[in-house]
Amino acid sequence: MSSTAQRSVALVTLGCTRNDVDSEELAGRLAAEGWLLVDDAAEADVAVVNTCGFVEQAKKDSIDVLLEASARKGEGRTKAVVAVGCLAERYGSQLAEELPEADAVLGFDSYADMSTHLRAVLDGHAPASHTPQDRRRLLPLSPVQRQAGAAALAIPGHGAPSSPTTEVVDEPLDGPVPASGPRVMRARLDGRPWAPLKIASGCDRRCAFCAIPMFRGAFVSRRPHDILAEAHWLAERGVKELFLVSENSTSYGKDLGDLALLEKLLPELTTVPGIERVRVSYLQPAEIRPGLLDAMATVPGVVPYFDISFQHASAPLLRSMRRFGGREAFLALLDDVRARVPQAGIRSNVIVGFPGETEEDLDELEAFLVAARLDVVGVFGYSDEDGTEAETYAAKVPDLEVTARVARFTALIEELNLQRAEERIGETVEVLVESLPDDEPWVVGRAAHQGPDVDGVTYLDPTEFPGAAVGDLVRAKVVGTEGIDLVAAPC
């Protein structure tokens, strides 16, 4: 069992779809080095756990998975468990010290040579644990000066980038990606008819509650031809829907000299053979431009799906969060969206319990949510995050009160989202089929306004859609709801 070709690895992915991309890039690198990719961590020589370090609950979940995987060592094939991902990058040697059950804790800089590191772990020579650093400091402060330095920096999910340039991007995006274009470094880990596609990494915003820029770094866009090459690669493997992901998609192109670059890229992605739908995620309300709204509303193949990060609606509290906007501005933005696409899907997240949050702030948030008619809203209770500005704030809301506010707004939002789903009865939708009847008596898919995993699904009766296959797009009419999920029948 000494050769790499005889060794197997399983990637266990936690957290967001950005981590899914990172895991598939790691899988591609390892497969290229001769590793056998297996689905079940218990059947692998080494389990690589791609952790999440976003909020306190995500950290706990990551540690639980690491402990669970470590507990299986010696019982089956598994000989080692390695932590990678955001938690490993953020805490590094501290995590290794507090979690000796993990055989190695590796940061982003280890990804390019992961095969060597895993061989060393299995041979009993684990590499030194990652030493955390503020990754914002690894690139120039000025966005337009970053691309040259980014080529030498480990940026998960960016694959093997094409040659960088510090010049303003003015290259045409039309035409096919040349055969000699950038190499795609990725291996699919599932058979889903949709796939996340990373367009950028990092964030330049300084939200007081968020630690992500510290361990994901400054904002860096992928070059359009790298993205297009990966889109072609995904389409060749049966992907029908591209889900564009980043920490802040509205900033795409600013370090390439063109803030309108996403609007130019979207039409190119929709013309990739085999791609039926393109979906954009994570829009910052303060950065949304009319041109981007127009492109998302009018380019054929781009679904009218608006994932907008509001976080709250009280203007004073948003200022304390180091964010912009407020109830009236946000409602005006939603009016702009619906003026272009009346049936647009709109989702968001909100934080309650932020330091200094008052009943007046909560009333403002409630008024916004009632008026906004959002399809899906996630509710998070505030918790201090290491190294953030808000960690130093006074006027902390007690934990029990934070829990109560989460419960209050969860109940409100559940009712509002149910109402929004019922408003869609009678609409004609186009459903991407994702699974066929097995344990449940339904064909399950997603309408254009439903994002992957967290935004609900659409149920179809298989007797009414005979011959439906995974990856098909079928037209249907919404005839009922199951919670926020829809039930649809033939038009």
Side-chain angles (χ1 to χ4, degrees), residues 377-404:
V377 182
V379 184
F380 291 89
Y382 171 83
S383 62
D384 283 339
E385 288 298 316
D386 297 333
T388 61
E389 180 181 349
E391 185 186 22
T392 68
Y393 285 3
K396 292 285 178 23
V397 178
D399 290 345
L400 286 177
E401 178 60 23
V402 173
T403 300

PDB file of all heavy atoms in Angstrom, residues 377-404:
ATOM      1  N   VAL A 377     -36.063  33.627   3.483  1.00  0.00           N
ATOM      2  CA  VAL A 377     -35.191  34.446   4.327  1.00  0.00           C
ATOM      3  C   VAL A 377     -34.577  33.548   5.387  1.00  0.00           C
ATOM      4  O   VAL A 377     -35.283  32.810   6.075  1.00  0.00           O
ATOM      5  CB  VAL A 377     -35.968  35.593   5.010  1.00  0.00           C
ATOM      6  CG1 VAL A 377     -35.011  36.450   5.844  1.00  0.00           C
ATOM      7  CG2 VAL A 377     -36.685  36.457   3.986  1.00  0.00           C
ATOM      8  N   GLY A 378     -33.260  33.619   5.517  1.00  0.00           N
ATOM      9  CA  GLY A 378     -32.578  32.919   6.593  1.00  0.00           C
ATOM     10  C   GLY A 378     -32.390  33.851   7.772  1.00  0.00           C
ATOM     11  O   GLY A 378     -32.088  35.042   7.591  1.00  0.00           O
ATOM     12  N   VAL A 379     -32.575  33.337   8.978  1.00  0.00           N
ATOM     13  CA  VAL A 379     -32.436  34.143  10.194  1.00  0.00           C
ATOM     14  C   VAL A 379     -31.234  33.641  10.986  1.00  0.00           C
ATOM     15  O   VAL A 379     -31.143  32.446  11.300  1.00  0.00           O
ATOM     16  CB  VAL A 379     -33.693  34.059  11.077  1.00  0.00           C
ATOM     17  CG1 VAL A 379     -33.551  34.987  12.283  1.00  0.00           C
ATOM     18  CG2 VAL A 379     -34.931  34.409  10.284  1.00  0.00           C
ATOM     19  N   PHE A 380     -30.341  34.540  11.316  1.00  0.00           N
ATOM     20  CA  PHE A 380     -29.173  34.208  12.121  1.00  0.00           C
ATOM     21  C   PHE A 380     -29.187  35.021  13.404  1.00  0.00           C
ATOM     22  O   PHE A 380     -29.489  36.222  13.383  1.00  0.00           O
ATOM     23  CB  PHE A 380     -27.871  34.508  11.357  1.00  0.00           C
ATOM     24  CG  PHE A 380     -27.625  33.610  10.187  1.00  0.00           C
ATOM     25  CD1 PHE A 380     -28.122  33.936   8.930  1.00  0.00           C
ATOM     26  CD2 PHE A 380     -26.906  32.439  10.335  1.00  0.00           C
ATOM     27  CE1 PHE A 380     -27.910  33.111   7.837  1.00  0.00           C
ATOM     28  CE2 PHE A 380     -26.675  31.605   9.249  1.00  0.00           C
ATOM     29  CZ  PHE A 380     -27.177  31.937   8.010  1.00  0.00           C
ATOM     30  N   GLY A 381     -28.858  34.383  14.494  1.00  0.00           N
ATOM     31  CA  GLY A 381     -28.658  35.095  15.741  1.00  0.00           C
ATOM     32  C   GLY A 381     -27.216  35.556  15.836  1.00  0.00           C
ATOM     33  O   GLY A 381     -26.288  34.789  15.559  1.00  0.00           O
ATOM     34  N   TYR A 382     -27.025  36.801  16.211  1.00  0.00           N
ATOM     35  CA  TYR A 382     -25.660  37.337  16.301  1.00  0.00           C
ATOM     36  C   TYR A 382     -24.843  36.596  17.351  1.00  0.00           C
ATOM     37  O   TYR A 382     -25.332  36.260  18.436  1.00  0.00           O
ATOM     38  CB  TYR A 382     -25.686  38.830  16.647  1.00  0.00           C
ATOM     39  CG  TYR A 382     -24.306  39.360  16.949  1.00  0.00           C
ATOM     40  CD1 TYR A 382     -23.459  39.734  15.918  1.00  0.00           C
ATOM     41  CD2 TYR A 382     -23.835  39.434  18.260  1.00  0.00           C
ATOM     42  CE1 TYR A 382     -22.178  40.180  16.182  1.00  0.00           C
ATOM     43  CE2 TYR A 382     -22.548  39.889  18.535  1.00  0.00           C
ATOM     44  CZ  TYR A 382     -21.719  40.260  17.491  1.00  0.00           C
ATOM     45  OH  TYR A 382     -20.439  40.689  17.756  1.00  0.00           O
ATOM     46  N   SER A 383     -23.585  36.343  17.021  1.00  0.00           N
ATOM     47  CA  SER A 383     -22.605  35.857  17.995  1.00  0.00           C
ATOM     48  C   SER A 383     -21.277  36.523  17.684  1.00  0.00           C
ATOM     49  O   SER A 383     -20.964  36.811  16.525  1.00  0.00           O
ATOM     50  CB  SER A 383     -22.462  34.329  17.933  1.00  0.00           C
ATOM     51  OG  SER A 383     -21.995  33.907  16.663  1.00  0.00           O
ATOM     52  N   ASP A 384     -20.491  36.810  18.725  1.00  0.00           N
ATOM     53  CA  ASP A 384     -19.178  37.424  18.522  1.00  0.00           C
ATOM     54  C   ASP A 384     -18.292  36.512  17.683  1.00  0.00           C
ATOM     55  O   ASP A 384     -18.219  35.300  17.928  1.00  0.00           O
ATOM     56  CB  ASP A 384     -18.495  37.673  19.870  1.00  0.00           C
ATOM     57  CG  ASP A 384     -19.054  38.888  20.588  1.00  0.00           C
ATOM     58  OD1 ASP A 384     -19.645  39.755  19.933  1.00  0.00           O
ATOM     59  OD2 ASP A 384     -18.908  38.951  21.831  1.00  0.00           O
ATOM     60  N   GLU A 385     -17.614  37.101  16.708  1.00  0.00           N
ATOM     61  CA  GLU A 385     -16.651  36.364  15.905  1.00  0.00           C
ATOM     62  C   GLU A 385     -15.257  36.920  16.168  1.00  0.00           C
ATOM     63  O   GLU A 385     -15.048  38.131  16.162  1.00  0.00           O
ATOM     64  CB  GLU A 385     -17.000  36.474  14.414  1.00  0.00           C
ATOM     65  CG  GLU A 385     -18.231  35.684  14.011  1.00  0.00           C
ATOM     66  CD  GLU A 385     -18.060  34.198  14.251  1.00  0.00           C
ATOM     67  OE1 GLU A 385     -16.986  33.660  13.918  1.00  0.00           O
ATOM     68  OE2 GLU A 385     -18.993  33.555  14.779  1.00  0.00           O
ATOM     69  N   ASP A 386     -14.309  36.023  16.396  1.00  0.00           N
ATOM     70  CA  ASP A 386     -12.948  36.409  16.748  1.00  0.00           C
ATOM     71  C   ASP A 386     -12.372  37.398  15.742  1.00  0.00           C
ATOM     72  O   ASP A 386     -12.408  37.176  14.530  1.00  0.00           O
ATOM     73  CB  ASP A 386     -12.037  35.170  16.798  1.00  0.00           C
ATOM     74  CG  ASP A 386     -12.454  34.186  17.870  1.00  0.00           C
ATOM     75  OD1 ASP A 386     -13.061  34.620  18.867  1.00  0.00           O
ATOM     76  OD2 ASP A 386     -12.176  32.979  17.706  1.00  0.00           O
ATOM     77  N   GLY A 387     -11.855  38.501  16.252  1.00  0.00           N
ATOM     78  CA  GLY A 387     -11.149  39.464  15.419  1.00  0.00           C
ATOM     79  C   GLY A 387     -12.013  40.467  14.707  1.00  0.00           C
ATOM     80  O   GLY A 387     -11.491  41.328  13.976  1.00  0.00           O
ATOM     81  N   THR A 388     -13.327  40.405  14.884  1.00  0.00           N
ATOM     82  CA  THR A 388     -14.200  41.355  14.198  1.00  0.00           C
ATOM     83  C   THR A 388     -14.394  42.616  15.026  1.00  0.00           C
ATOM     84  O   THR A 388     -14.208  42.624  16.241  1.00  0.00           O
ATOM     85  CB  THR A 388     -15.571  40.726  13.911  1.00  0.00           C
ATOM     86  OG1 THR A 388     -16.185  40.360  15.150  1.00  0.00           O
ATOM     87  CG2 THR A 388     -15.437  39.496  13.028  1.00  0.00           C
ATOM     88  N   GLU A 389     -14.801  43.680  14.357  1.00  0.00           N
ATOM     89  CA  GLU A 389     -15.043  44.939  15.047  1.00  0.00           C
ATOM     90  C   GLU A 389     -16.174  44.800  16.062  1.00  0.00           C
ATOM     91  O   GLU A 389     -16.093  45.321  17.180  1.00  0.00           O
ATOM     92  CB  GLU A 389     -15.378  46.024  14.027  1.00  0.00           C
ATOM     93  CG  GLU A 389     -15.645  47.382  14.657  1.00  0.00           C
ATOM     94  CD  GLU A 389     -16.002  48.443  13.638  1.00  0.00           C
ATOM     95  OE1 GLU A 389     -15.854  48.192  12.425  1.00  0.00           O
ATOM     96  OE2 GLU A 389     -16.438  49.529  14.061  1.00  0.00           O
ATOM     97  N   ALA A 390     -17.235  44.103  15.667  1.00  0.00           N
ATOM     98  CA  ALA A 390     -18.398  43.991  16.556  1.00  0.00           C
ATOM     99  C   ALA A 390     -18.080  43.240  17.839  1.00  0.00           C
ATOM    100  O   ALA A 390     -18.782  43.414  18.846  1.00  0.00           O
ATOM    101  CB  ALA A 390     -19.549  43.303  15.823  1.00  0.00           C
ATOM    102  N   GLU A 391     -17.040  42.432  17.827  1.00  0.00           N
ATOM    103  CA  GLU A 391     -16.644  41.726  19.045  1.00  0.00           C
ATOM    104  C   GLU A 391     -16.286  42.722  20.152  1.00  0.00           C
ATOM    105  O   GLU A 391     -16.455  42.426  21.346  1.00  0.00           O
ATOM    106  CB  GLU A 391     -15.448  40.815  18.746  1.00  0.00           C
ATOM    107  CG  GLU A 391     -15.021  39.947  19.924  1.00  0.00           C
ATOM    108  CD  GLU A 391     -13.752  39.171  19.634  1.00  0.00           C
ATOM    109  OE1 GLU A 391     -12.981  39.589  18.742  1.00  0.00           O
ATOM    110  OE2 GLU A 391     -13.519  38.147  20.307  1.00  0.00           O
ATOM    111  N   THR A 392     -15.842  43.920  19.759  1.00  0.00           N
ATOM    112  CA  THR A 392     -15.427  44.930  20.735  1.00  0.00           C
ATOM    113  C   THR A 392     -16.580  45.838  21.157  1.00  0.00           C
ATOM    114  O   THR A 392     -16.407  46.672  22.039  1.00  0.00           O
ATOM    115  CB  THR A 392     -14.307  45.804  20.151  1.00  0.00           C
ATOM    116  OG1 THR A 392     -14.838  46.608  19.076  1.00  0.00           O
ATOM    117  CG2 THR A 392     -13.167  44.954  19.627  1.00  0.00           C
ATOM    118  N   TYR A 393     -17.745  45.696  20.554  1.00  0.00           N
ATOM    119  CA  TYR A 393     -18.860  46.582  20.845  1.00  0.00           C
ATOM    120  C   TYR A 393     -19.431  46.319  22.239  1.00  0.00           C
ATOM    121  O   TYR A 393     -19.465  45.173  22.711  1.00  0.00           O
ATOM    122  CB  TYR A 393     -19.988  46.395  19.839  1.00  0.00           C
ATOM    123  CG  TYR A 393     -19.753  46.980  18.472  1.00  0.00           C
ATOM    124  CD1 TYR A 393     -18.555  47.591  18.123  1.00  0.00           C
ATOM    125  CD2 TYR A 393     -20.753  46.927  17.500  1.00  0.00           C
ATOM    126  CE1 TYR A 393     -18.352  48.114  16.856  1.00  0.00           C
ATOM    127  CE2 TYR A 393     -20.568  47.454  16.232  1.00  0.00           C
ATOM    128  CZ  TYR A 393     -19.351  48.043  15.919  1.00  0.00           C
ATOM    129  OH  TYR A 393     -19.154  48.566  14.665  1.00  0.00           O
ATOM    130  N   ALA A 394     -19.881  47.396  22.870  1.00  0.00           N
ATOM    131  CA  ALA A 394     -20.637  47.263  24.119  1.00  0.00           C
ATOM    132  C   ALA A 394     -22.112  47.024  23.753  1.00  0.00           C
ATOM    133  O   ALA A 394     -22.451  46.772  22.597  1.00  0.00           O
ATOM    134  CB  ALA A 394     -20.476  48.517  24.961  1.00  0.00           C
ATOM    135  N   ALA A 395     -22.977  47.103  24.757  1.00  0.00           N
ATOM    136  CA  ALA A 395     -24.427  46.944  24.551  1.00  0.00           C
ATOM    137  C   ALA A 395     -24.762  45.611  23.908  1.00  0.00           C
ATOM    138  O   ALA A 395     -25.625  45.526  23.025  1.00  0.00           O
ATOM    139  CB  ALA A 395     -24.978  48.094  23.715  1.00  0.00           C
ATOM    140  N   LYS A 396     -24.063  44.558  24.350  1.00  0.00           N
ATOM    141  CA  LYS A 396     -24.353  43.227  23.828  1.00  0.00           C
ATOM    142  C   LYS A 396     -25.755  42.784  24.263  1.00  0.00           C
ATOM    143  O   LYS A 396     -26.183  43.016  25.395  1.00  0.00           O
ATOM    144  CB  LYS A 396     -23.313  42.217  24.338  1.00  0.00           C
ATOM    145  CG  LYS A 396     -21.904  42.429  23.777  1.00  0.00           C
ATOM    146  CD  LYS A 396     -21.813  41.956  22.354  1.00  0.00           C
ATOM    147  CE  LYS A 396     -20.458  42.168  21.690  1.00  0.00           C
ATOM    148  NZ  LYS A 396     -19.291  42.304  22.452  1.00  0.00           N
ATOM    149  N   VAL A 397     -26.451  42.142  23.357  1.00  0.00           N
ATOM    150  CA  VAL A 397     -27.764  41.563  23.671  1.00  0.00           C
ATOM    151  C   VAL A 397     -27.533  40.226  24.351  1.00  0.00           C
ATOM    152  O   VAL A 397     -26.770  39.400  23.837  1.00  0.00           O
ATOM    153  CB  VAL A 397     -28.601  41.381  22.393  1.00  0.00           C
ATOM    154  CG1 VAL A 397     -29.947  40.731  22.711  1.00  0.00           C
ATOM    155  CG2 VAL A 397     -28.796  42.718  21.690  1.00  0.00           C
ATOM    156  N   PRO A 398     -28.152  39.970  25.511  1.00  0.00           N
ATOM    157  CA  PRO A 398     -27.943  38.691  26.207  1.00  0.00           C
ATOM    158  C   PRO A 398     -28.297  37.502  25.315  1.00  0.00           C
ATOM    159  O   PRO A 398     -29.200  37.577  24.474  1.00  0.00           O
ATOM    160  CB  PRO A 398     -28.879  38.784  27.414  1.00  0.00           C
ATOM    161  CG  PRO A 398     -29.077  40.250  27.631  1.00  0.00           C
ATOM    162  CD  PRO A 398     -29.040  40.876  26.278  1.00  0.00           C
ATOM    163  N   ASP A 399     -27.610  36.393  25.528  1.00  0.00           N
ATOM    164  CA  ASP A 399     -27.790  35.208  24.692  1.00  0.00           C
ATOM    165  C   ASP A 399     -29.241  34.740  24.669  1.00  0.00           C
ATOM    166  O   ASP A 399     -29.766  34.367  23.605  1.00  0.00           O
ATOM    167  CB  ASP A 399     -26.889  34.072  25.174  1.00  0.00           C
ATOM    168  CG  ASP A 399     -25.413  34.342  24.903  1.00  0.00           C
ATOM    169  OD1 ASP A 399     -25.122  35.251  24.094  1.00  0.00           O
ATOM    170  OD2 ASP A 399     -24.562  33.651  25.488  1.00  0.00           O
ATOM    171  N   LEU A 400     -29.883  34.736  25.828  1.00  0.00           N
ATOM    172  CA  LEU A 400     -31.271  34.278  25.873  1.00  0.00           C
ATOM    173  C   LEU A 400     -32.181  35.185  25.059  1.00  0.00           C
ATOM    174  O   LEU A 400     -33.126  34.728  24.408  1.00  0.00           O
ATOM    175  CB  LEU A 400     -31.758  34.206  27.324  1.00  0.00           C
ATOM    176  CG  LEU A 400     -31.218  33.045  28.150  1.00  0.00           C
ATOM    177  CD1 LEU A 400     -31.725  33.126  29.590  1.00  0.00           C
ATOM    178  CD2 LEU A 400     -31.616  31.707  27.534  1.00  0.00           C
ATOM    179  N   GLU A 401     -31.885  36.475  25.067  1.00  0.00           N
ATOM    180  CA  GLU A 401     -32.694  37.411  24.281  1.00  0.00           C
ATOM    181  C   GLU A 401     -32.434  37.230  22.786  1.00  0.00           C
ATOM    182  O   GLU A 401     -33.351  37.327  21.961  1.00  0.00           O
ATOM    183  CB  GLU A 401     -32.405  38.848  24.705  1.00  0.00           C
ATOM    184  CG  GLU A 401     -33.154  39.908  23.915  1.00  0.00           C
ATOM    185  CD  GLU A 401     -34.672  39.780  24.004  1.00  0.00           C
ATOM    186  OE1 GLU A 401     -35.176  39.178  24.990  1.00  0.00           O
ATOM    187  OE2 GLU A 401     -35.355  40.269  23.090  1.00  0.00           O
ATOM    188  N   VAL A 402     -31.161  36.964  22.429  1.00  0.00           N
ATOM    189  CA  VAL A 402     -30.858  36.673  21.022  1.00  0.00           C
ATOM    190  C   VAL A 402     -31.660  35.460  20.560  1.00  0.00           C
ATOM    191  O   VAL A 402     -32.273  35.462  19.478  1.00  0.00           O
ATOM    192  CB  VAL A 402     -29.349  36.435  20.815  1.00  0.00           C
ATOM    193  CG1 VAL A 402     -29.082  35.962  19.386  1.00  0.00           C
ATOM    194  CG2 VAL A 402     -28.559  37.705  21.103  1.00  0.00           C
ATOM    195  N   THR A 403     -31.675  34.424  21.378  1.00  0.00           N
ATOM    196  CA  THR A 403     -32.434  33.213  21.046  1.00  0.00           C
ATOM    197  C   THR A 403     -33.919  33.531  20.871  1.00  0.00           C
ATOM    198  O   THR A 403     -34.583  33.028  19.952  1.00  0.00           O
ATOM    199  CB  THR A 403     -32.247  32.149  22.129  1.00  0.00           C
ATOM    200  OG1 THR A 403     -30.852  31.829  22.232  1.00  0.00           O
ATOM    201  CG2 THR A 403     -33.030  30.885  21.816  1.00  0.00           C
ATOM    202  N   ALA A 404     -34.451  34.377  21.760  1.00  0.00           N
ATOM    203  CA  ALA A 404     -35.869  34.743  21.671  1.00  0.00           C
ATOM    204  C   ALA A 404     -36.155  35.530  20.389  1.00  0.00           C
ATOM    205  O   ALA A 404     -37.194  35.330  19.743  1.00  0.00           O
ATOM    206  CB  ALA A 404     -36.271  35.554  22.901  1.00  0.00           C
TER     207      ALA A 404
END
